[in-house]
Amino acid sequence: MAELYQTQRAMRNIRRAALQRGVIGILDIGTSKIACLVLRFDGTGTFRETDGVGPMAGQVNFRVIGAASTRSRGMRRGEIDVMAETERAIRTVVAAAQKVAGVRVDHVIACLSGGRPASYGLAGEITLESGRVHEHDVARVLAACDAPDFGRGREVLHAQPVNFAVDNRSGLGDPRDHVGNRLACDMHLLTVDGDVIGNLVQCIRRCDLELAGIASASYASARAALVEDEQELGSACIDFGGGGTGVSIFVKKHMIFADNVKIGGQLVTQDIAQGLRVPLPVAERLKTLNGGVEATGRDDRDMLDLGPDASSWDGERRAVSRADLIGIMRPRVEEILEGVREVLDAAGFDSMPSQQIVLTGGGSQIPGLDGLAARILGPNIRCGRPLRIDGLAHQFTDPGFSSAVGLALFAAHPQDEWWDFETPADSYPTRSLRRAYRWFRNNW
Amino acid sequence: MPEVIDHRPNRALLPADRIRRDPAPSRLQYRLERMWLRPIWRRAVRIGVPAALAILIGGLWLADPDRRALLSDGVQQVMDKIQNRKEFQVTTMVVEGASPVVDAALRQMLPVDLPASSFDIDLAALRLQVMQLDVIESVDLRIKPGGILSAVVKEREPAILWRHARGIEILDRTGHRVASVTSRDVRADLPLIAGEGADLAVPEALSLIDAAGPILPRVRGLVRKGERRWDLVLDQGQKIMLPATGAVIALQAAMALDKAQDMLGRDITTVDLRDPSRPVLRLGMDARNTIREARGQALLGPDGKVIIPEDDKKGG
């Protein structure tokens, strides 16, 4: 735990240094595509009202000066499969984004979608010596949370204090300077496989980049796709990705649960390729251009040309009806949604005060998905697009880029995590100084 | 020509023939691109390398003394060719507003023989040289179209003569030297001043001479005393001593006295106005003896001593 605390603190320091230099890169390594945004932080807000970007959510102190995305390589189910291939993909996208931005990127913030995430709710409690909550008391109560046994090789990705309680007053966002005798806190802990993180760090380091932060992809996409009220009142964000579907639940502006369903859009493509006996690129094209989940009578007559690559040996061109395509896609999408339903049930989403569900990610663009999801997940469904940020080109504003945009918000305004507070041992000298100061003030 | 021709559409190029290029930059290319994005490298390559190359080539070419001579000769030839063009030739010199003596001096001062190129005539230096002549107050030198070197000269006007230990000089209105003369008779029309530092107070002397208008025929000149105040010297050994400040007003007062009572026509050697509130007159010998005679006192001799009668000496 101590080692992890030090690494995360080091990453926060790198992030701060990068912000001071003014340029930071965002690297969203997904299973089907990899995106890189280059952000410039220049202190004061540079947004213009004419761009249609208001000072929303305080995201005004940076703008995107370069963006690129390309096909991902060497990734499988949100994890790195072939390191060299992934490294090449990172090099491609970083070089392209640097070319657009015209500046060199040294520090990147990356996200991780796979790695079998596991959420834990932790609770800690201390008694207050001075009858008032001080800065070091917050750090002490965070350190007092009793960590369960994560298992071998697990690493903590997020450790966010969700709730503080002083005596019997609960639901405090910031307990500092509250008067009381007892401070309790709830912490949400997200762990992933350490090897997966290690591979990612290694891959990024081999591209001469320094890692300034790492976040869970489902957390990042929820920060971009959920509006503030949804984050406050409670909602779930479903991120339909290529290799997996991320689920995260937010309430009171904090993530309280995150998980991953291991079925994604690539499996749908694979089903189409197998069912229609077409190559994978053709299947991907059919899925993105003509895919759907609700068949109507018109779809029976809508014939799709499979193209020359899918024709038989003698050059006869084949065609399938759109209804056939929907018939292949729908069971797989339903299976994904069932998986999401199971995850939400396991998380106890039914007992949440507000049961808003937001669909985002590239897969959420399937026409009719919200209707199908409403039947399986619940009535309050909407398709979410990422928050508009300054300078982002239009082709990067579709739902598939919500985790990249969320990472940009994470880079600008990271939420408090456990490693943002000094450990009690570190704060001891300041406390003794304060005690000496108090003694002087009382006696002289 | 192959025996079987494949006529199927879109099969002109077999997939195996297509060479799939890896879109990813190689590691070296990636590192070079990132290095290129560093401003210091960009600057070094874009400015430093061309500058170093230019300096290197130029230095190598100039390392040979023959080539250096060739280069300087060529430059000199081109410069000469341009400077000796007809358009730049100065053929005549026109001097305006100068007396014949000054005219000749100016023409002699010109460092080159006309006709010459206008590049060879340094007008600023020539002007400084001309301004060293005392007689010239200002000169306007310019080269006019048509190859004319025009000098518009303004000479100093002689206003006063200054006699000092080394001779007599003519000064202008401001006290600047114009010329030297050998005797006062050369310019009898100018008033005369004398004494050390008199040239520094020429404007005051001129205004005093203006103020002495009624007695001007009697005025011999002005004498500067102690570089501080003036004495107005008249004929018949008379002089008016003027204060250091307000000399003109004091002189006007003396003129008024003279006009009212014919003061200067009487036997008075000195009018002392150094204290304007208390003018003092020094009587002449005859006047004093007349007074002494009337009082029954012994008369004074020409040396200012009392004349002792012969019989007293003898009897004493």
Side-chain angles (χ1 to χ4, degrees), chain A residues 98-376:
Chain A
Q98 279 181 157
K99 202 170 217 171
V100 174
V103 296
R104 180 190 158 106
V105 177
D106 284 324
H107 309 277
V108 293
I109 289 182
C111 72
L112 186 71
S113 52
R116 293 193 293 121
S119 276
Y120 298 89
L122 269 52
E125 188 177 324
I126 56 163
T127 54
L128 297 171
E129 293 163 350
S130 53
R132 181 182 285 274
V133 182
H134 290 297
E135 191 96 30
H136 61 270
D137 290 325
V138 178
R140 221 149 53 85
V141 73
L142 291 179
C145 287
D146 46 347
D149 184 18
F150 303 134
R152 276 166 63 94
R154 302 289 286 180
E155 290 257 10
V156 177
L157 196 57
H158 290 287
Q160 294 162 330
V162 175
N163 180 29
F164 287 99
V166 178
D167 289 347
N168 51 4
R169 298 187 305 279
S170 184
L172 303 174
D174 186 356
R176 280 175 298 177
D177 289 340
H178 273 263
V179 179
N181 297 318
R182 194 174 58 81
L183 177 67
C185 94
D186 298 319
M187 188 153 74
H188 172 243
L189 206 70
L190 187 72
T191 63
V192 292
D193 268 349
D195 301 340
V196 175
I197 288 193
N199 286 348
L200 183 69
V201 170
Q202 180 65 15
C203 236
I204 287 171
R205 203 160 282 162
R206 276 165 67 173
C207 293
D208 301 336
L209 300 168
E210 225 173 330
L211 199 61
I214 190 162
S216 157
S218 41
Y219 169 69
S221 54
R223 277 202 61 181
L226 301 184
V227 299
E228 275 196 68
D229 285 353
E230 288 167 348
Q231 289 185 12
E232 176 72 34
L233 298 174
S235 59
C237 177
I238 321 282
D239 182 3
F240 291 91
T245 303
V247 179
S248 60
I249 300 177
F250 268 64
V251 72
K252 292 185 76 103
K253 298 205 174 154
H254 289 288
M255 179 169 72
I256 56 166
F257 178 80
D259 203 349
N260 198 15
V261 179
K262 281 184 172 295
I263 315 171
Q266 275 192 341
L267 213 55
V268 178
T269 310
Q270 212 172 314
D271 284 350
I272 295 170
Q274 286 172 351
L276 300 178
R277 283 183 289 116
V278 291
L280 274 174
V282 176
E284 180 72 29
R285 183 182 156 80
L286 281 176
K287 182 185 80 171
T288 47
L289 291 183
N290 306 103
V293 288
E294 298 284 355
T296 60
R298 191 188 148 76
D299 290 332
D300 285 333
R301 289 177 313 234
D302 196 357
M303 298 306 282
L304 310 171
D305 188 8
L306 294 187
D309 284 346
S311 54
S312 55
W313 181 83
D314 52 357
E316 183 193 354
R317 297 172 84 91
R318 282 198 294 130
V320 294
S321 71
R322 187 157 180 255
D324 290 342
L325 180 65
I326 290 172
I328 293 172
M329 283 177 68
R330 183 177 169 118
R332 192 56 89 176
V333 175
E334 274 178 349
E335 191 187 346
I336 294 174
L337 291 171
E338 294 288 351
V340 171
R341 175 79 259 169
E342 278 172 23
V343 167
L344 288 182
D345 284 342
F349 187 64
D350 290 336
S351 55
M352 294 271 289
S354 159
Q355 299 194 356
Q356 178 76 33
I357 291 174
V358 177
L359 311 178
T360 185
S364 72
Q365 291 163 304
I366 303 174
L369 178 69
D370 46 350
L372 186 61
R375 220 169 297 156
I376 296 176

Side-chain angles (χ1 to χ4, degrees), chain B residues 38-54:
Chain B
R38 285 213 155 136
I40 184 162
W41 274 102
R42 289 184 101 116
R43 230 170 289 150
V45 172
R46 282 193 176 161
I47 299 165
V49 170
L53 267 179

